[in-house]
Amino acid sequence: MNRAFFQAAALTAGFLTFGPTAQANLPASLDGMQAGQPTLWQVLDAVVMPEGLTADEVWLSIDLRTRQVRVMRGETVITRIEHLAFGAGGAAPLRAKGSSMTPLGEFRVDRINRASRFGLFFGFDYPNVQVAEEALRLGRITPQEYWYIENYRARHGRAPHTTSLGGLIGIHGLGRGDPDVHRSFDWTEGCVAVSNEEIRALDPWLRIGTRVVISG
């Protein structure tokens, strides 16, 4: 993830730790954020970029904090969706099966279902290799589950969904769902949801292998 994102996290932690009095005494310039550099609020609003981004790469930015979905080419916004709903259980880098949480991190589109009950479904490769390694390190999955994830991905070219980490995570439409519920609640089991019209608008841009960054 990009340097600006971590600068924002560090500054935010400082604000929460030191309180209003210390905030008032913050120096005018900080390491990496000298005069002319983005302000804290500009950094917080910045799009989190994937590693090794090229100028012409098309990728998907999903920001749970601002509830925006952006199709990007390099650092340029191609199109923007202004509202999304995500998991009823919240969000975390490691989500467990049945938790209704949306995973945070960098993924790739690994399946497309045009016959989904949600109209159109773009699946993400959760759990990917990085997620499986971190889950194993933290004891969230067994070594057997780790090797199952690795072998399944090698055989099928997509992530499994039957381990303790769950899966079948992606972005989809509403199908016959209630638009009023969608606008008012985070209602999914871990996926990101947009309207039927909005998910169709993503169709020309997303392919198997397209990178996706979910932040929040």
Side-chain angles (χ1 to χ4, degrees):
M1 301 302 174
N2 61 356
R3 178 179 174 82
F5 178 78
F6 290 106
Q7 289 174 331
L11 282 174
T12 302
F15 271 54
L16 294 175
T17 301
F18 298 117
T21 302
Q23 292 167 23
N25 295 322
L26 283 174
S29 62
L30 298 170
D31 180 36
M33 296 192 72
Q34 307 295 328
Q37 292 281 21
T39 67
L40 170 63
W41 310 118
Q42 289 171 327
V43 168
L44 287 173
D45 284 336
V47 177
V48 180
M49 304 288 180
E51 298 289 347
L53 182 66
T54 61
D56 60 349
E57 180 181 353
V58 175
W59 60 284
L60 192 66
S61 166
I62 299 175
D63 189 330
L64 305 184
R65 182 179 61 86
T66 63
R67 295 187 179 273
Q68 290 190 344
V69 178
R70 302 177 181 96
V71 178
M72 309 287 294
R73 179 179 282 114
E75 298 184 12
T76 302
V77 178
I78 297 175
T79 187
R80 188 192 315 260
I81 295 171
E82 297 292 348
H83 179 77
L84 62 83
F86 59 98
L94 294 180
R95 53 98 63 190
K97 186 176 183 179
S99 68
S100 293
M101 298 184 78
T102 298
L104 302 173
E106 183 175 326
F107 308 100
R108 290 184 182 268
V109 174
D110 70 352
R111 71 194 78 189
I112 300 173
N113 182 359
R114 302 186 185 281
S116 166
R117 65 189 179 97
F118 296 110
L120 180 58
F121 176 84
F122 296 95
F124 306 152
D125 65 339
Y126 179 93
N128 59 23
V129 173
Q130 293 76 19
V131 168
E133 289 176 350
E134 181 68 2
L136 179 64
R137 185 183 71 82
L138 295 175
R140 303 285 185 87
I141 59 173
T142 65
Q144 290 78 12
E145 287 180 302
Y146 174 82
W147 289 115
Y148 175 78
I149 292 170
E150 289 282 281
N151 292 333
Y152 189 98
R153 291 174 59 87
R155 291 198 311 270
H156 301 285
R158 61 182 184 271
H161 63 273
T162 55
T163 70
S164 301
L165 298 174
L168 292 179
I169 298 297
I171 185 169
H172 58 67
L174 303 183
R176 296 184 178 181
D178 188 337
D180 291 333
V181 171
H182 172 66
R183 298 294 301 185
S184 303
F185 300 98
D186 289 317
W187 56 271
T188 79
E189 296 181 5
C191 290
V192 174
V194 296
S195 73
N196 292 329
E197 180 181 357
E198 289 164 342
I199 197 66
R200 288 192 293 269
L202 297 181
D203 197 11
W205 303 104
L206 302 188
R207 300 287 184 270
I208 300 297
T210 299
R211 288 203 281 180
V212 179
V213 175
I214 306 177
S215 61

